Amino acid sequence: MDAASAPALQALQALLGRYSVGPKHLVEPGPNDEQLALMVQAALRAPDHAELMPLRLKLVRGAARQRMAELFAAAARAAGKDEAGAALDAERALRPPLTVAVLARIDMGHPLVPAHEQWAAVGGALSNFLTAAHLLGFGGKMLSGAKVRDASIQAAFCAPGETLLGWIALGTPKISSAKSTPRATRKPEALALQEWGR
Ligand SMILES: Cc1cc2nc3c(=O)[nH]c(=O)nc-3n(C[C@H](O)[C@H](O)[C@H](O)COP(=O)(O)O)c2cc1C
């Protein structure tokens, strides 16, 4: 391995060490505006056929977290949960220092780029965003759940033509590194990478 590739290998090692950190393991601070701008730049470096930019991210921070908590609690009640369940869902909105709603704008009638390619671009961007957060020292986790299908929540987050994927909880991880084992080793690489044409 030559010396010039050492920083690249270091970056790759950092990427391989990414893991999701759930809301109950996140504390202040969340990323600031400058760090968020870097994370978005990383998201927008994902492959994106015809540069359709099918991803939209909406920041939920400060007082907006309380509004989202109320929406989550109302959706929980509408889904038949009791007050304890509603309080738990509200807590999920309030606990992370910063939440980012993830929306997709898929052009179903695009003449060149079918929907599945646009969804691939959304996934790539989401992954880059989370990896950038990790490289900057933050923890995060993409979460959805039944509430993404709640009509009031969809109306609150989506512009016409947008689909709500869920929310990324972001903050500083409070768990020890011993507890935060990357999960990559549990996945069989041979299943993902196979020979073709032999
Ligand atoms: C669109 C999307 C929605 C997800 N929703 C949930 C969810 O609601 N609950 C959950 O536990 N994990 C959810 N996950 C998975 C986690 O974000 C995470 O990838 C998983 O727990 C594996 O952890 P790791 O990233 O450390 O490998 C979702 C992932 C994606 C891409």
Side-chain angles (χ1 to χ4, degrees):
M1 217 52 75
D2 60 34
S5 66
L9 278 178
Q10 230 176 353
L12 189 57
Q13 280 305 328
L15 186 153
L16 291 172
R18 190 205 70 80
Y19 51 88
S20 293
V21 183
K24 63 173 182 276
H25 302 295
L26 295 172
V27 291
E28 296 283 355
N32 61 28
D33 286 351
E34 199 185 334
Q35 291 159 331
L36 282 167
L38 281 171
M39 289 155 60
V40 172
Q41 277 175 36
L44 297 182
R45 287 303 310 126
D48 175 11
H49 194 174
E51 297 188 11
L52 296 180
M53 238 183 75
L55 180 85
R56 293 291 185 278
L57 300 170
K58 289 185 186 168
L59 297 174
V60 184
R61 53 183 168 177
R65 293 189 306 171
Q66 185 57 45
R67 185 160 167 241
M68 187 167 77
E70 284 158 18
L71 273 169
F72 281 10
R77 286 184 204 104
K81 291 191 186 174
D82 60 15
E83 275 313 304
L88 211 67
D89 275 13
E91 174 68 11
R92 288 202 178 102
L94 292 169
R95 200 181 277 253
L98 172 65
T99 296
V100 180
V102 182
L103 303 139
R105 290 173 74 100
I106 306 299
D107 179 350
M108 299 302 286
H110 197 279
L112 179 66
V113 187
H116 65 269
E117 293 190 9
Q118 297 175 51
W119 279 112
V122 170
L126 168 61
S127 178
N128 278 7
F129 186 84
L130 281 167
T131 300
H134 169 70
L135 295 177
L136 289 168
F138 296 102
K141 184 168 183 172
M142 175 76 214
L143 294 162
S144 52
K147 51 187 173 292
V148 293
R149 292 180 290 281
D150 178 272
S152 328
I153 291 183
Q154 286 179 348
F157 281 96
C158 298
E162 289 181 347
T163 303
L164 177 62
L165 250 84
W167 299 266
I168 303 171
L170 280 170
T172 298
K174 70 172 179 187
I175 44 178
S176 73
S177 56
K179 272 190 184 168
S180 53
T181 314
R183 285 155 180 87
T185 49
R186 289 206 317 233
K187 293 175 189 161
E189 282 107 8
L191 197 63
L193 184 65
Q194 302 173 359
E195 295 284 351
W196 181 85
R198 276 196 171 167

